[in-house]
Amino acid sequence: MGSSELRSPTLNLSIACPQLTPAASTFPAAASNYCQLDELLTEEEKDLQIKVRQFMENEVAPIISKFWEKAEFPFHLIPKMSTLGIAGGTIKGYGCPGLSGPACAMCFLEIARVDASIASFCLVQSCLAMVSIAQLGSEAQKEKYLRPLSKMQKVCVYALSEPNHGSDASSLNTTARKVPGGWILNGQKRWPANSSFADIFVVLACNTSTNQINGFIVNGGAPGLKISKIDNKMSLRVVQNCDILLEDVFVPDDDRLPGANSFQDLVKALSFSRVIVAWISIGIAAGVYDACLRYLGERKQFGAPLAAFQLNQEKLVWLLGWRLYKLHDSGRMTTGQASLGKAWITKKARETVALGRELLGGNGIVTDFHVGKAFCDMESLYTYEGSYEVNALIVARDITGIASIRPTARVPAC
């Protein structure tokens, strides 16, 4: 008897568990706004929040689990996402929406509530690559690149991490050598999201003359630019992370970011993205809360529904996340505060999501109810934009004035 004859048919969930509603059919209602932060938004911002929520629930939720399982990106969603008018976030001018910090945060929360991969796609587009160009680019570069990026007519990448440099991001091996009319880039990058289909790459490289980190804009398809997708990921599977090889890639002088002359020049964009990662984590936790609330109301064991749980730690992450954005908007947020928020919130959101997975029992490890996918995706949020430990040491440096991130030389034995 062949293996195909022994295979059982796939379980029809609607027949086996008619009282349960999988995420793929109807996403659970939003019930996780403990602190009613939407009351602090303007009416226009509230309308935008609802617009983003409806898009994610109606367009993304019914299909995203299948794309997650196949590790493919839903390219057909990009033109639809562009109509939301949120690409570029808080950037003013150049076709960008110029959102307030709270409005931008709530948009990312609504996106991540349904899917962390789509939130990560938007994070790279709006908060890493576009913010770097907005903060460090020339007027000509802003006009040339930000307008099509804000309409999502083009997709961009932020290429920082390397095979041997993740948390140690200021010690890059990728080099930029000055030549007549431009620069020659050589090196490798690992993990940049969106790389397999991007049009514009913001690449960080070490200037061979100054030994300082500079920023460059590389156009997709440039000679010497080679890209290969990273396979076998267990988290954020929709995100197209890649290895990038730069072999004598020529970048004209016009595409060097004039404001990026050291790693410290790039820290501001990274700090901003860490705040957004914190809000993405809050969104993931909120989505899991909503899914668990519905599941436990529908799921019956021992003759009674399982609806008797509280995720009190979520109250804490909402409040801290909100305070960080108020500090950012007033220009008073330090790098240490951004790192504290990212480290604390992702840690607490990770615990929240793990509790949600536990509450669903065996159904918590499948994608049908949203929680299993969110559980895996949260692991990436906990690590990227600086691991918990690295961010904690950045906070400690901010508090004490003493940097302990780089290890001291080993003391020889007597």
Side-chain angles (χ1 to χ4, degrees), residues 179-185 217-219 222-224 247-253:
V179 296
W183 302 78
I184 297 294
L185 270 57
I217 298 174
V218 177
N219 287 287
E247 292 184 326
D248 293 332
V249 175
F250 177 76
V251 178
D253 284 325

Side-chain angles (χ1 to χ4, degrees), residues 53-379:
R53 178 184 297 172
Q54 290 175 342
F55 171 80
M56 292 302 299
E57 289 182 352
N58 298 333
E59 299 288 341
V60 179
I63 66 166
I64 200 64
S65 289
K66 293 301 180 185
F67 280 90
W68 192 92
E69 290 167 3
K70 294 185 291 184
E72 296 177 358
F73 190 90
F75 296 107
H76 69 282
L77 290 179
I78 295 178
K80 296 180 180 180
M81 278 191 284
S82 69
T83 64
L84 297 175
I86 60 174
T90 58
I91 300 171
K92 294 180 172 62
Y94 313 101
C96 298
L99 301 176
S100 70
C104 182
M106 293 301 283
C107 287
F108 270 95
L109 183 153
E110 294 294 345
I111 295 169
R113 175 176 165 265
V114 172
D115 186 66
S117 291
I118 298 300
S120 294
F121 165 79
C122 294
L123 172 77
V124 173
Q125 180 90 356
S126 293
C127 304
L128 283 171
M130 290 183 71
V131 166
S132 294
I133 294 172
Q135 291 180 348
L136 306 171
S138 66
E139 284 300 313
Q141 289 169 343
K142 295 174 190 178
E143 285 288 346
K144 179 179 179 180
Y145 293 112
L146 290 181
R147 291 189 183 278
L149 289 172
S150 70
K151 296 179 177 62
M152 291 192 175
Q153 295 167 344
K154 293 184 181 295
V155 172
C156 53
V157 167
Y158 186 79
L160 169 61
S161 297
E162 298 181 350
N164 294 318
H165 295 284
S167 297
D168 188 13
S170 61
S171 303
L172 302 181
N173 288 334
T174 301
T175 60
R177 176 172 54 87
K178 187 70 179 79
V179 296
W183 302 78
I184 297 294
L185 270 57
N186 281 284
Q188 294 175 282
K189 297 293 181 181
R190 184 167 173 83
W191 296 115
N194 311 340
S195 306
S196 63
F197 57 97
D199 306 287
I200 298 166
F201 295 70
V202 175
V203 178
L204 276 59
C206 183
N207 185 321
T208 57
S209 298
T210 65
N211 289 324
Q212 293 292 329
I213 304 300
N214 293 175
F216 303 86
I217 298 174
V218 177
N219 287 287
L225 182 67
K226 301 177 182 178
I227 299 167
S228 57
K229 178 184 171 184
I230 297 174
D231 293 319
N232 305 320
K233 289 194 306 170
M234 297 173 62
S235 179
L236 293 181
R237 288 174 55 80
V238 172
V239 177
Q240 304 299 290
N241 297 99
C242 297
D243 287 311
I244 299 175
L245 179 63
L246 301 111
E247 292 184 326
D248 293 332
V249 175
F250 177 76
V251 178
D253 284 325
D254 288 345
D255 282 338
R256 179 186 177 275
L257 294 174
N261 298 302
S262 70
F263 186 72
Q264 289 305 311
D265 293 332
L266 297 148
V267 165
K268 190 174 181 181
L270 289 171
S271 295
F272 177 78
S273 69
R274 281 173 180 158
V275 175
I276 294 297
V277 169
W279 276 94
I280 291 174
S281 301
I282 295 170
I284 294 172
V288 168
Y289 176 92
D290 294 338
C292 289
L293 185 62
R294 182 176 70 181
Y295 181 91
L296 294 178
E298 296 175 343
R299 176 71 165 172
K300 292 184 178 181
Q301 292 288 283
F302 307 105
L306 301 178
F309 74 100
Q310 295 290 330
L311 301 182
N312 290 321
Q313 61 264 57
E314 191 178 5
K315 298 178 183 179
L316 298 175
V317 300
W318 279 76
L319 289 171
L320 181 55
W322 179 260
R323 179 58 181 157
L324 276 173
Y325 234 129
K326 298 301 287 185
L327 287 170
H328 177 269
D329 270 6
S330 65
R332 294 182 291 127
M333 184 187 73
T334 67
T335 302
Q337 288 169 334
S339 291
L340 173 62
K342 193 276 176 183
W344 171 256
I345 291 174
T346 55
K347 182 178 179 65
K348 287 301 173 183
R350 188 190 195 203
E351 294 172 2
T352 299
V353 173
L355 178 59
R357 199 236 43 90
E358 180 182 334
L359 286 167
L360 265 68
N363 285 326
I365 64 169
V366 295
T367 59
D368 297 308
F369 300 95
H370 172 76
V371 175
K373 177 171 69 68
F375 175 78
C376 291
D377 288 343
M378 189 62 228
E379 289 302 296

